[in-house]
mmCIF file of all heavy atoms in Angstrom:
data_model
loop_
_atom_site.group_PDB
_atom_site.id
_atom_site.type_symbol
_atom_site.label_atom_id
_atom_site.label_comp_id
_atom_site.label_asym_id
_atom_site.label_seq_id
_atom_site.Cartn_x
_atom_site.Cartn_y
_atom_site.Cartn_z
ATOM 1 N N LEU A 65 0.848 -85.358 -25.506
ATOM 2 C CA LEU A 65 0.943 -85.472 -24.056
ATOM 3 C C LEU A 65 1.187 -84.107 -23.413
ATOM 4 O O LEU A 65 1.816 -83.230 -24.019
ATOM 5 C CB LEU A 65 2.126 -86.373 -23.651
ATOM 6 C CG LEU A 65 2.274 -87.725 -24.316
ATOM 7 C CD1 LEU A 65 3.339 -87.668 -25.399
ATOM 8 C CD2 LEU A 65 2.641 -88.785 -23.315
ATOM 9 N N GLN A 66 0.659 -83.971 -22.225
ATOM 10 C CA GLN A 66 1.083 -82.924 -21.326
ATOM 11 C C GLN A 66 1.776 -83.614 -20.158
ATOM 12 O O GLN A 66 1.731 -84.830 -20.051
ATOM 13 C CB GLN A 66 -0.119 -82.123 -20.844
ATOM 14 C CG GLN A 66 -0.708 -81.215 -21.899
ATOM 15 C CD GLN A 66 -1.912 -80.457 -21.369
ATOM 16 O OE1 GLN A 66 -2.974 -81.017 -21.190
ATOM 17 N NE2 GLN A 66 -1.729 -79.190 -21.119
ATOM 18 N N LYS A 67 2.333 -82.807 -19.271
ATOM 19 C CA LYS A 67 3.064 -83.410 -18.138
ATOM 20 C C LYS A 67 2.176 -84.438 -17.432
ATOM 21 O O LYS A 67 1.086 -84.119 -16.950
ATOM 22 C CB LYS A 67 3.472 -82.323 -17.144
ATOM 23 C CG LYS A 67 4.672 -81.522 -17.596
ATOM 24 C CD LYS A 67 5.953 -82.298 -17.473
ATOM 25 C CE LYS A 67 7.171 -81.419 -17.765
ATOM 26 N NZ LYS A 67 8.425 -82.183 -17.687
ATOM 27 N N GLU A 68 2.658 -85.670 -17.406
ATOM 28 C CA GLU A 68 2.032 -86.789 -16.688
ATOM 29 C C GLU A 68 0.695 -87.235 -17.283
ATOM 30 O O GLU A 68 0.035 -88.101 -16.711
ATOM 31 C CB GLU A 68 1.853 -86.455 -15.200
ATOM 32 C CG GLU A 68 3.163 -86.149 -14.477
ATOM 33 C CD GLU A 68 2.967 -85.922 -12.994
ATOM 34 O OE1 GLU A 68 2.641 -84.777 -12.615
ATOM 35 O OE2 GLU A 68 3.125 -86.890 -12.216
ATOM 36 N N ASN A 69 0.281 -86.667 -18.384
ATOM 37 C CA ASN A 69 -1.010 -87.049 -18.959
ATOM 38 C C ASN A 69 -0.906 -87.305 -20.464
ATOM 39 O O ASN A 69 -0.256 -86.551 -21.188
ATOM 40 C CB ASN A 69 -2.047 -85.942 -18.749
ATOM 41 C CG ASN A 69 -2.467 -85.836 -17.302
ATOM 42 O OD1 ASN A 69 -2.916 -86.802 -16.709
ATOM 43 N ND2 ASN A 69 -2.303 -84.658 -16.739
ATOM 44 N N ILE A 70 -1.572 -88.363 -20.916
ATOM 45 C CA ILE A 70 -1.758 -88.580 -22.352
ATOM 46 C C ILE A 70 -3.093 -87.943 -22.720
ATOM 47 O O ILE A 70 -4.137 -88.324 -22.183
ATOM 48 C CB ILE A 70 -1.762 -90.082 -22.688
ATOM 49 C CG1 ILE A 70 -0.399 -90.692 -22.378
ATOM 50 C CG2 ILE A 70 -2.118 -90.282 -24.166
ATOM 51 C CD1 ILE A 70 -0.347 -92.195 -22.561
ATOM 52 N N ILE A 71 -3.047 -86.980 -23.617
ATOM 53 C CA ILE A 71 -4.262 -86.252 -23.988
ATOM 54 C C ILE A 71 -4.947 -86.900 -25.190
ATOM 55 O O ILE A 71 -6.166 -87.009 -25.250
ATOM 56 C CB ILE A 71 -3.948 -84.779 -24.318
ATOM 57 C CG1 ILE A 71 -3.165 -84.121 -23.169
ATOM 58 C CG2 ILE A 71 -5.227 -84.007 -24.631
ATOM 59 C CD1 ILE A 71 -3.906 -84.140 -21.843
ATOM 60 N N ASP A 72 -4.149 -87.316 -26.167
ATOM 61 C CA ASP A 72 -4.708 -87.879 -27.398
ATOM 62 C C ASP A 72 -3.723 -88.905 -27.934
ATOM 63 O O ASP A 72 -2.605 -88.540 -28.283
ATOM 64 C CB ASP A 72 -4.942 -86.747 -28.419
ATOM 65 C CG ASP A 72 -5.550 -87.237 -29.733
ATOM 66 O OD1 ASP A 72 -5.725 -88.455 -29.911
ATOM 67 O OD2 ASP A 72 -5.854 -86.384 -30.583
ATOM 68 N N GLU A 73 -4.120 -90.152 -27.961
ATOM 69 C CA GLU A 73 -3.242 -91.200 -28.495
ATOM 70 C C GLU A 73 -3.917 -91.894 -29.670
ATOM 71 O O GLU A 73 -3.670 -93.069 -29.950
ATOM 72 C CB GLU A 73 -2.857 -92.209 -27.415
ATOM 73 C CG GLU A 73 -4.022 -92.854 -26.697
ATOM 74 C CD GLU A 73 -3.577 -93.821 -25.604
ATOM 75 O OE1 GLU A 73 -2.375 -94.155 -25.550
ATOM 76 O OE2 GLU A 73 -4.439 -94.243 -24.815
ATOM 77 N N SER A 74 -4.752 -91.152 -30.374
ATOM 78 C CA SER A 74 -5.541 -91.729 -31.457
ATOM 79 C C SER A 74 -4.687 -92.221 -32.631
ATOM 80 O O SER A 74 -5.126 -93.043 -33.415
ATOM 81 C CB SER A 74 -6.578 -90.724 -31.968
ATOM 82 O OG SER A 74 -5.944 -89.546 -32.396
ATOM 83 N N GLY A 75 -3.472 -91.733 -32.754
ATOM 84 C CA GLY A 75 -2.612 -92.153 -33.850
ATOM 85 C C GLY A 75 -1.595 -93.214 -33.468
ATOM 86 O O GLY A 75 -0.779 -93.640 -34.295
ATOM 87 N N MET A 76 -1.669 -93.649 -32.261
ATOM 88 C CA MET A 76 -0.692 -94.613 -31.755
ATOM 89 C C MET A 76 -1.171 -96.030 -32.042
ATOM 90 O O MET A 76 -2.312 -96.370 -31.756
ATOM 91 C CB MET A 76 -0.551 -94.435 -30.238
ATOM 92 C CG MET A 76 0.611 -95.172 -29.679
ATOM 93 S SD MET A 76 2.032 -94.137 -29.644
ATOM 94 C CE MET A 76 2.027 -93.780 -27.921
ATOM 95 N N PRO A 77 -0.306 -96.888 -32.589
ATOM 96 C CA PRO A 77 -0.691 -98.307 -32.729
ATOM 97 C C PRO A 77 -1.076 -98.878 -31.372
ATOM 98 O O PRO A 77 -0.512 -98.518 -30.346
ATOM 99 C CB PRO A 77 0.595 -98.958 -33.271
ATOM 100 C CG PRO A 77 1.326 -97.858 -33.958
ATOM 101 C CD PRO A 77 1.038 -96.629 -33.166
ATOM 102 N N LYS A 78 -2.052 -99.769 -31.392
ATOM 103 C CA LYS A 78 -2.624 -100.265 -30.129
ATOM 104 C C LYS A 78 -1.648 -101.148 -29.368
ATOM 105 O O LYS A 78 -1.696 -101.238 -28.137
ATOM 106 C CB LYS A 78 -3.911 -101.048 -30.407
ATOM 107 C CG LYS A 78 -5.038 -100.189 -30.949
ATOM 108 C CD LYS A 78 -5.639 -99.314 -29.875
ATOM 109 C CE LYS A 78 -6.830 -98.522 -30.372
ATOM 110 N NZ LYS A 78 -6.490 -97.261 -30.977
ATOM 111 N N GLU A 79 -0.778 -101.809 -30.076
ATOM 112 C CA GLU A 79 0.139 -102.734 -29.418
ATOM 113 C C GLU A 79 1.573 -102.281 -29.610
ATOM 114 O O GLU A 79 1.920 -101.649 -30.601
ATOM 115 C CB GLU A 79 -0.042 -104.154 -30.000
ATOM 116 C CG GLU A 79 -1.427 -104.723 -29.750
ATOM 117 C CD GLU A 79 -1.609 -106.088 -30.399
ATOM 118 O OE1 GLU A 79 -0.761 -106.489 -31.207
ATOM 119 O OE2 GLU A 79 -2.623 -106.742 -30.083
ATOM 120 N N ARG A 80 2.389 -102.587 -28.653
ATOM 121 C CA ARG A 80 3.847 -102.418 -28.658
ATOM 122 C C ARG A 80 4.312 -100.979 -28.486
ATOM 123 O O ARG A 80 5.467 -100.752 -28.158
ATOM 124 C CB ARG A 80 4.479 -103.014 -29.939
ATOM 125 C CG ARG A 80 4.163 -104.475 -30.176
ATOM 126 C CD ARG A 80 4.956 -105.036 -31.346
ATOM 127 N NE ARG A 80 4.619 -104.376 -32.596
ATOM 128 C CZ ARG A 80 5.409 -103.521 -33.245
ATOM 129 N NH1 ARG A 80 6.595 -103.202 -32.755
ATOM 130 N NH2 ARG A 80 5.024 -102.974 -34.398
ATOM 131 N N PHE A 81 3.466 -100.016 -28.719
ATOM 132 C CA PHE A 81 3.871 -98.607 -28.624
ATOM 133 C C PHE A 81 3.297 -97.993 -27.350
ATOM 134 O O PHE A 81 2.136 -98.211 -27.006
ATOM 135 C CB PHE A 81 3.355 -97.807 -29.825
ATOM 136 C CG PHE A 81 4.104 -98.042 -31.095
ATOM 137 C CD1 PHE A 81 3.955 -99.238 -31.797
ATOM 138 C CD2 PHE A 81 4.957 -97.069 -31.613
ATOM 139 C CE1 PHE A 81 4.647 -99.459 -32.980
ATOM 140 C CE2 PHE A 81 5.649 -97.284 -32.799
ATOM 141 C CZ PHE A 81 5.488 -98.474 -33.476
ATOM 142 N N SER A 82 4.116 -97.206 -26.671
ATOM 143 C CA SER A 82 3.634 -96.458 -25.512
ATOM 144 C C SER A 82 4.422 -95.163 -25.407
ATOM 145 O O SER A 82 5.533 -95.041 -25.938
ATOM 146 C CB SER A 82 3.774 -97.278 -24.218
ATOM 147 O OG SER A 82 5.136 -97.573 -23.967
#
Side-chain angles (χ1 to χ4, degrees):
Chain A
L65 311 101
Q66 287 179 287
K67 283 286 187 182
E68 300 184 275
N69 289 304
I70 295 175
I71 307 301
D72 181 356
E73 55 182 348
S74 57
M76 192 92 104
K78 294 286 184 273
E79 297 177 348
R80 304 187 297 108
F81 285 73
S82 62

